[in-house]
Amino acid sequence: MLAQNRPHSLTNYHDFWITRPLKTTVRTHLSSMPSLKSVAVLIALVAIYCNWPQPPLSDRLQKWKSSGKNFKFKDFNIFYKDSLGQGQSAANRVVLILHGFPSSTFDWYKMWDGLASHFGRVIAPDFIGFGLSDKPKGHSYTMFEQADIVESLLAKLGVQQVHILAHDMGDTVAQELIARQNALIKSKKKSSLKILSVCLTNGGILPETLEIRFTQKLMLNPWIAPIGTRVTNRLIFRKAFGEVFGERTQPTMDEFEDHWALMRWNDGNLIAHDQIQYLPQRYANRDKWVGALQETKIPLHLIYGPADPINPPNTFLKRYKMLMPNSGVTELSDHISHYPQLEDPDSVFQAYVGFMHSLKIN
């Protein structure tokens, strides 16, 4: 009986000892694997665990929110801050702040009072999809629309001249606004908005030198992003956010919680894939936006944290100085990274005041 079960040829040997056991093993493993429905339920439960309940706004954020206003852009509510300075409110002393990704105007909270007391007026919107503004799902988020929002807000407020202070994604919006002003000057058309100066801080001004982070690559993937955004919790956010700060200038736990709460506001964490489309837009419009800085007669300045892993000094800063000889540059201490306004607000403030002083704006 045993002999009947033994293989009598090489083919039979392979089938008896290898193929049949392998098929049996595969069938066993497949039968023991959870169904797609089970996996979907598991992901849903993890997503609920990671995202419920929505974190409340801290007292500091509640105060920030109550000191701002909303205006309508199309059908969307856009949050903005607008503070009159304590000194003379001259029309040529209005500072417009443009924030970066993935945060909001709250990035500038450490500098806000100083700017408001030093200049005539400080205005800062939360771009659509960010901070305390509406965050529509399935929306096409573009730098062109963000620039439209800025122009609409300033028109509503009756502001015709501004000095721009920008960071990260806000740098790109500033570049688009500069490009529009350049085009109007060339065509000899009248503009309703005049940009008097532009001060950029760390950001992807030159796409060719960008070091895109691993988490950003995941968010750009249309298959991974929907799952990743739903299972991301405050610990994952804290790690990713902390990586773009210097080792000695990490946010406090309260600051981490505030930025996390603002990102979660209006389910903003669920639209990360849509928000981050500004990155491919930078590459697609590289010549226009970099060319805008090269062509403009607007006074330019860069305040730069050299420990930035996204815009390293050996590539970004070197090339920026080569391409923008018309721009001034302030290099901060070696340990300051991608968020200089949060990591070293005093130095950024002094550098900005110095730049404005050079324009006879004080």
Side-chain angles (χ1 to χ4, degrees):
M1 293 295 294
L2 291 174
Q4 293 177 359
N5 292 328
R6 292 174 183 168
H8 299 289
S9 67
L10 186 60
T11 301
N12 289 338
Y13 178 89
H14 185 275
D15 180 66
F16 187 85
W17 292 109
I18 298 177
T19 305
R20 273 194 250 171
L22 182 60
K23 288 180 179 178
T24 302
T25 302
V26 170
R27 282 197 299 268
T28 302
H29 280 283
L30 286 176
S31 63
S32 64
M33 286 179 65
S35 66
L36 290 177
K37 183 178 179 180
S38 300
V39 172
V41 171
L42 178 62
I43 292 175
L45 291 174
V46 172
I48 292 171
Y49 174 76
C50 291
N51 293 290
W52 187 88
Q54 181 171 301
L57 298 184
S58 66
D59 291 343
R60 179 166 56 189
L61 287 182
Q62 289 286 3
K63 183 178 178 181
W64 184 264
K65 181 175 180 288
S66 63
S67 65
K69 300 177 182 178
N70 286 289
F71 88 101
K72 279 286 187 182
F73 176 80
K74 299 178 181 177
D75 293 327
F76 305 114
N77 290 310
I78 304 299
F79 175 84
Y80 70 98
K81 291 265 290 181
D82 181 10
S83 297
L84 292 177
Q86 298 176 8
Q88 181 185 2
S89 182
N92 67 337
R93 297 174 64 247
V94 179
V95 176
L96 171 68
I97 292 177
L98 304 177
H99 71 81
F101 173 93
S103 35
S104 67
T105 58
F106 187 69
D107 290 349
W108 297 89
Y109 86 95
K110 291 183 178 180
M111 291 179 57
W112 191 269
D113 291 343
L115 291 169
S117 64
H118 199 88
F119 300 104
R121 190 175 185 180
V122 183
I123 301 169
D126 278 352
F127 293 124
I128 185 171
F130 296 85
L132 297 169
S133 291
D134 281 353
K135 300 171 180 177
K137 296 179 178 66
H139 187 75
S140 177
Y141 292 90
T142 71
M143 297 300 93
F144 305 107
E145 182 180 48
Q146 305 291 18
D148 291 342
I149 290 172
V150 171
E151 291 180 331
S152 296
L153 173 60
L154 295 176
K156 168 185 165 43
L157 299 176
V159 175
Q160 297 179 333
Q161 299 183 115
V162 293
H163 298 271
I164 293 178
L165 176 58
H167 173 244
D168 189 71
M169 186 185 74
D171 290 342
T172 307
V173 178
Q175 288 172 271
E176 170 59 21
L177 291 170
I178 294 170
R180 294 181 183 188
Q181 181 160 307
N182 291 349
L184 288 171
I185 292 173
K186 286 181 180 178
S187 64
K188 297 182 179 179
K189 293 181 180 179
K190 185 178 180 181
S191 173
S192 59
L193 175 65
K194 183 177 182 181
I195 302 171
L196 300 175
S197 71
V198 175
C199 182
L200 307 171
T201 59
N202 293 60
I205 302 163
L206 306 175
E208 62 268 30
T209 65
L210 265 178
E211 297 289 341
I212 298 178
R213 308 299 293 169
F214 176 70
T215 52
Q216 291 177 315
K217 292 178 181 178
L218 292 180
M219 284 187 285
L220 283 167
N221 187 298
W223 303 104
I224 297 176
I227 298 174
T229 55
R230 283 165 172 77
V231 299
T232 296
N233 58 22
R234 55 173 38 87
L235 296 177
I236 296 173
F237 170 77
R238 189 184 307 160
K239 182 180 185 302
F241 197 53
E243 286 177 351
V244 296
F245 284 74
E247 292 183 5
R248 295 156 51 187
T249 54
Q250 287 287 301
T252 64
M253 288 302 296
D254 286 344
E255 287 174 333
F256 272 125
E257 287 298 316
D258 282 344
H259 288 288
W260 171 244
L262 285 170
M263 193 180 80
R264 288 288 313 278
W265 182 264
N266 284 340
D267 292 330
N269 56 310
L270 301 182
I271 60 168
H273 174 68
D274 298 321
Q275 292 171 326
I276 205 169
Q277 294 308 311
Y278 77 95
L279 284 177
Q281 290 170 36
R282 278 177 171 168
Y283 292 99
N285 296 279
R286 187 269 177 200
D287 291 345
K288 175 186 179 181
W289 289 337
V290 174
L293 296 179
Q294 293 177 302
E295 296 171 13
T296 188
K297 301 299 181 184
I298 300 170
L300 295 177
H301 196 78
L302 171 69
I303 301 176
Y304 176 71
D308 189 349
I310 302 174
N311 306 280
N314 59 332
T315 52
F316 166 74
L317 188 59
K318 182 178 179 181
R319 186 161 177 79
Y320 180 87
K321 289 179 177 180
M322 180 184 74
L323 294 178
M324 316 299 172
N326 55 325
S327 173
V329 175
T330 297
E331 294 183 53
L332 301 173
S333 299
D334 290 344
H335 64 281
I336 304 302
S337 188
H338 187 70
Y339 274 84
Q341 73 274 37
L342 287 172
E343 299 177 61
D344 192 2
D346 291 340
S347 295
V348 175
F349 179 77
Q350 292 302 324
Y352 187 61
V353 170
F355 168 56
M356 296 289 272
H357 182 70
S358 71
L359 305 176
K360 309 302 181 185
I361 304 294
N362 47 44

